Amino acid sequence: MSSAPITHLPSEPIVVIEPRSSWKALDLSELWAYRELMYFLTWRDVKVRYKQTFLGVAWAVIQPLFTMIIFSLFFGRLGGMESRTGGLPYPLFAYAGLLPWTFFSNALTASGNSLVGNANLITKVYFPRLIVPTAAVAAGLIDFAIGFVMLVVLMLYYQTPLTLNLLMIPVLVFLITVLATGVGMWLSALNVKYRDIRFALPFVIQLWMFISPIIYPTEILPPKYHWLFSLNPLTGIIEAFRSALFGRPFNWTSLSISAVLTLLSLVYAGFSFSRVERRFADIV
Amino acid sequence: MEINSIIKVDNLGKQYRLGVDTAPYSTIREVVMDTLKAPLRSLRRNGSDPTIWALRDVSFEIQAGEIVGIIGRNGAGKSTLLKILSRITHPTVGRVQLFGRVASLLEVGTGFHPELTGRENIFLNGSILGMSKTEIESKFDEIIAFAEIEKFIDTPVKRYSSGMYVRLAFAVAAHLEPEILIVDEVLAVGDYAFQQKCLDKMQDVSTHGRTVLIVSHNMGAISRLCQRCILLDKGTVLTIGKPSTVIEAYVAGGAQNRAEYLQPSSFDKDINLRRVAVIDEHGEVRNEVGYADVPRLLVEYEVNRVVKGVSVGLAVFTIDGTCAFVSADLDAQPELLNGRVPGMYVAEIELPAAWLNVGRYTVTATIASAAGGGTVYDNLEVLVFNVVDTGSPGSRFGIERKGILQPILVWTTTTRDT
């Protein structure tokens, strides 16, 4: 392994280290340069998660499936939600909501705690810090994909007709991933400064589920409050997810609001993250 | 300076705000309460908070292919400097220009995950240190061979012995091929043979034209490896130059309050300690003594009333609490057993040169009844001093010899006819 000695140096420095101004936008080209590290961190998260579990990857199915069964019993049967899903079998309705929700909530928890959890890396090695919360979200996508297989099985079982609406699925998965990344990255930065986040997060996530149309359709709410609910970016995405799966008409207004809010959350998170980023190593 | 500096550091400074950055993190409640309690204070807090400069006015240039050592006492700013150069933390003022790809090794095995196998960790750690996947793949066999863990490559590293763990971690790092390698005190781990292998590997790195910046307390390694040396003190550059000169300056500047302890007079005691110190042959207080120097331990005490059967003793301990030796003034002057007349006393012992091993020691001074198990009149156990390597036999081979002592003994070796 002999490589040629460096004979001449570049005339311009490769890296210049200077005090940073607070409001520098995130350097996306650098993020691209470190894509392999992102891949390895995602891979690590997935690998480690199921390494010592008996059921392994099956957990990716068990989690939404069992929640669906319990919800079908309590909300579907006992809560009388069965008749209000617009003709859809409640288990299918619930699972189609729980699958993206499980991804979203797991991604939020994982990325919210990611910077603090990887403090040993942050204080010892340089890389774009954004990789850490992003990789945590990406790891959740693997679970989502596995859970999706179960969804297909359920759809076949209930003989759901396939429509062109299904083409929207990738767009929706992209949207919810971006939303999870935005919120998760903001939370992870906040968590470095205020350790309250760790305790507040499970609670906030639980609340968020009940204000999103996971276990109930938006239609059961009084129409005059629908606009209020569509301010929750998850509302539009999850509704559209069901529309795409079950060939029902899309609520484009609600989905557009979600898309705009998602984008805004990402931009805001990006700025607030980069503002705190330079001090991570000093305070984490 | 030549034109082909690979690292240029200009007026670098890092300021920490005490009470904000030093508190690891805050809770929202604290922030809210602070703001409620003193809304005005939080407004002008930026100006009034005490700050410290961990690094100040640091400027130097490093040429391509140089191995440069950075030395200095704890808190001198070595780690802060490395962290800035590694881009982990940002400077408050100043500028660094790097004309090459940097890899930093501030810790061995950064990002190793105990649940993952050796193979998996090589990829993870390699990519964290900045290697590409193809680079890792091409060096994979070499890394395993260097670490000597072929058989355990598919075992989770949590089952590794600490030696294997360190070997694997260093093997990955040793195969980095950056233009600039920044290393922090990682040579202090692993067994001696492996340390030697790593030192060789590092030297190999620089003969390939790479630049190495290394922080170490191991003066033997520094003087053997480095062409130049930077001495930091209280955040500023004290000296830059040849390792031997800089190490000497480092050792000479060792005066620190911990190597001396003063105690006020207390007349209600019959006999009490006034001063205990580690000094050199000129009587200067020394926090660091060279291995080849003659350190002295000094005790000053005052006798207010005549007491009989008392001894003044000194004990030296290694930093892990093992007693190296105990010595008492009665050993040399048994007549003191009969009592000392009131007044000030100065007692001194001289330790042989090239005797105590390189390392950190604490000193305890005790005035107690000579019979043992009796009264302790006064006791001080606060002194700390370091024996730094200025050419111990072990350092010649780049290793740290075990033991409390590292004496140079007379060996007689003859051949015998069979």
Side-chain angles (χ1 to χ4, degrees):
Chain A
M1 50 149 288
S2 71
S3 50
I6 305 158
T7 43
H8 43 75
L9 296 167
S11 54
E12 289 297 310
I14 292 180
V15 178
V16 177
I17 303 166
E18 282 178 322
R20 269 179 65 174
S21 58
S22 301
W23 288 95
K24 190 184 164 231
L26 290 168
D27 189 349
L28 291 176
S29 64
E30 198 182 30
L31 208 57
W32 177 247
Y34 278 86
R35 62 192 181 281
E36 274 195 357
L37 178 59
M38 169 122 150
Y39 163 77
F40 275 115
L41 287 183
T42 307
W43 168 84
R44 175 198 69 178
D45 284 356
V46 173
K47 204 119 199 184
V48 169
R49 185 134 31 118
Y50 297 119
K51 201 92 181 185
Q52 274 210 317
T53 56
F54 179 63
L55 293 172
V57 182
W59 280 111
V61 174
I62 292 169
Q63 216 186 340
L65 187 68
F66 277 73
T67 319
M68 177 271 275
I69 292 171
I70 290 161
F71 283 6
S72 297
L73 270 172
F74 284 90
F75 297 102
R77 186 113 331 151
L78 302 174
M81 210 65 83
E82 266 174 340
S83 54
R84 313 184 68 164
T85 57
L88 274 178
Y90 186 78
L92 193 56
F93 173 88
Y95 192 87
L98 280 166
L99 181 64
W101 167 255
T102 307
F103 161 68
F104 184 76
S105 62
N106 285 347
L108 230 53
T109 312
S111 64
N113 291 317
S114 63
L115 282 178
V116 174
N118 284 291
N120 62 329
L121 281 189
I122 287 167
T123 54
K124 299 292 182 207
V125 194
Y126 173 77
F127 54 85
R129 300 332 190 183
L130 192 52
I131 284 184
V132 172
T134 314
V137 173
L141 275 174
I142 309 291
D143 286 355
F144 180 79
I146 298 161
F148 201 90
V149 175
M150 188 64 211
L151 178 66
V152 172
V153 172
L154 278 177
M155 284 172 74
L156 290 175
Y157 175 80
Y158 286 108
Q159 294 171 339
T160 317
L162 304 180
T163 64
L164 278 179
N165 278 7
L166 284 171
L167 293 177
M168 273 295 280
I169 295 283
V171 179
L172 295 170
V173 172
F174 176 74
L175 265 185
I176 198 169
T177 308
V178 172
L179 183 64
T181 310
V183 180
M185 148 180 146
W186 177 67
L187 286 173
S188 69
L190 218 55
N191 202 357
V192 173
K193 273 190 93 171
Y194 308 107
R195 299 296 157 94
D196 297 77
I197 301 297
R198 193 200 313 242
F199 305 108
L201 202 53
F203 169 69
V204 169
I205 285 177
Q206 207 167 30
L207 275 186
W208 201 337
M209 175 166 132
F210 285 106
I211 59 163
S212 308
I214 316 288
I215 51 176
Y216 56 84
T218 327
E219 291 83 55
I220 70 162
L221 302 165
K224 61 174 176 175
Y225 291 124
H226 278 187
W227 66 271
L228 193 64
F229 269 77
S230 57
L231 285 183
N232 168 10
L234 266 187
T235 304
I237 299 175
I238 290 193
E239 275 183 339
F241 196 71
R242 287 204 183 97
S243 301
L245 288 172
F246 309 129
R248 296 149 96 194
F250 287 104
N251 181 345
W252 293 108
T253 327
S254 173
L255 185 57
S256 310
I257 295 174
S258 293
V260 170
L261 288 175
T262 297
L263 215 66
L264 284 178
S265 79
L266 185 70
V267 172
Y268 175 74
F271 273 108
S272 74
F273 189 90
S274 81
R275 208 167 82 92
V276 194
E277 183 182 32
R278 70 205 172 103
R279 302 209 309 137
F280 282 161
D282 296 336
I283 49 182
V284 77
Chain B
M1 276 278 162
E2 288 171 51
I3 42 159
N4 59 339
S5 298
I6 192 163
I7 302 177
K8 286 185 188 167
V9 177
D10 294 314
N11 289 313
L12 202 65
K14 171 85 181 176
Q15 189 180 39
Y16 283 102
R17 196 180 297 152
L18 294 175
V20 177
D21 284 339
T22 49
Y25 48 80
S26 36
T27 62
I28 290 171
R29 190 182 66 89
E30 284 164 10
V31 175
V32 173
M33 290 309 281
D34 281 356
T35 319
L36 287 180
K37 270 190 282 188
L40 288 173
R41 193 187 58 197
S42 73
L43 283 176
R44 56 187 159 81
R45 188 160 69 177
N46 276 350
S48 63
D49 252 357
T51 55
I52 54 154
W53 285 91
L55 218 55
R56 190 162 210 182
D57 298 330
V58 172
S59 301
F60 58 86
E61 295 194 10
I62 289 171
Q63 312 301 310
E66 265 191 310
I67 306 188
V68 177
I70 299 175
I71 58 175
R73 224 157 275 120
N74 291 338
K78 294 170 304 206
S79 301
T80 307
L81 178 60
L82 288 201
K83 280 191 171 176
I84 292 173
L85 292 177
S86 318
R87 296 204 279 165
I88 289 161
T89 184
H90 281 268
T92 314
V93 291
R95 193 152 103 119
V96 179
Q97 286 169 284
L98 302 171
F99 294 79
R101 213 159 64 102
V102 180
S104 49
L105 210 56
L106 301 196
E107 175 192 63
V108 166
T110 304
F112 261 45
H113 200 290
E115 295 289 344
L116 299 177
T117 67
R119 180 189 302 277
E120 290 163 341
N121 270 308
I122 289 177
F123 278 95
L124 182 62
N125 185 237
S127 98
I128 284 170
L129 293 176
M131 289 161 104
S132 71
K133 192 161 175 268
T134 41
E135 212 177 331
I136 302 168
E137 272 161 0
S138 71
K139 288 181 187 154
F140 191 77
D141 295 333
E142 222 181 305
I143 291 174
I144 302 172
F146 189 90
E148 302 156 27
I149 52 139
E150 287 91 342
K151 267 189 270 172
F152 307 97
I153 192 62
D154 289 311
T155 309
V157 296
K158 66 177 176 186
R159 305 206 198 290
Y160 280 27
S161 70
S162 59
M164 284 159 67
Y165 185 94
V166 167
R167 283 208 306 274
L168 178 63
F170 205 97
V172 180
H175 287 79
L176 280 170
E177 290 195 344
E179 281 123 19
I180 304 167
L181 181 63
I182 295 176
V183 188
D184 186 10
E185 201 67 79
V186 286
L187 298 171
V189 294
D191 58 85
Y192 296 128
F194 190 72
Q195 274 184 16
Q196 186 57 39
K197 200 166 154 182
C198 293
L199 285 172
D200 289 346
K201 183 80 192 173
M202 267 187 178
Q203 223 155 21
D204 189 47
V205 163
S206 77
T207 53
H208 286 298
R210 278 180 208 93
T211 312
V212 182
L213 218 61
I214 173 171
V215 161
S216 181
H217 283 114
N218 182 344
M219 295 301 144
I222 290 273
S223 63
R224 212 166 56 85
L225 273 173
C226 302
Q227 289 129 23
R228 276 205 305 154
C229 213
I230 298 174
L231 173 58
L232 288 180
D233 186 52
K234 299 189 188 96
T236 57
V237 174
L238 217 58
T239 328
I240 302 183
K242 276 202 338 210
S244 55
T245 332
V246 178
I247 291 173
E248 231 176 84
Y250 172 56
V251 174
Q256 270 226 319
N257 52 7
R258 289 298 294 272
E260 181 178 29
Y261 197 89
L262 301 169
Q263 199 166 255
S265 169
S266 86
F267 194 74
D268 48 63
K269 284 185 183 171
D270 294 341
I271 179 167
N272 84 300
L273 292 163
R274 293 295 305 278
R275 178 176 180 232
V276 186
V278 181
I279 56 172
D280 63 11
E281 58 263 54
H282 310 297
E284 298 283 301
V285 177
R286 283 293 169 91
N287 185 249
E288 317 236 335
V289 283
Y291 166 80
D293 298 340
V294 180
R296 294 172 193 207
L297 306 180
L298 172 131
V299 187
E300 286 179 28
Y301 57 94
E302 83 189 330
V303 178
N304 298 315
R305 283 170 284 278
V306 181
V307 278
K308 289 185 179 181
V310 170
S311 83
V312 176
L314 281 164
V316 170
F317 297 85
T318 61
I319 207 70
D320 61 8
T322 312
C323 184
F325 66 86
V326 178
S327 188
D329 60 349
L330 297 180
D331 304 353
Q333 291 162 282
E335 66 275 10
L336 289 173
L337 197 61
N338 301 323
R340 298 167 178 84
V341 291
M344 277 292 292
Y345 289 75
V346 181
E348 212 179 284
I349 57 169
E350 187 177 295
L351 309 185
W355 186 61
L356 274 180
N357 201 350
V358 174
R360 202 165 163 80
Y361 297 90
T362 61
V363 179
T364 303
T366 311
I367 301 179
S369 67
T375 326
V376 173
Y377 294 90
D378 206 354
N379 188 37
L380 270 177
E381 40 191 340
V382 287
L383 296 199
V384 179
F385 73 100
N386 295 300
V387 174
V388 295
D389 206 331
T390 49
S392 68
S395 77
R396 249 177 284 159
F397 307 101
I399 59 172
E400 284 169 15
R401 285 215 180 140
K402 286 182 184 147
I404 296 169
L405 302 180
Q406 194 181 161
I408 299 172
L409 301 175
V410 179
W411 279 70
T412 337
T413 311
T414 49
T415 51
R416 194 174 63 173
D417 302 323
T418 42

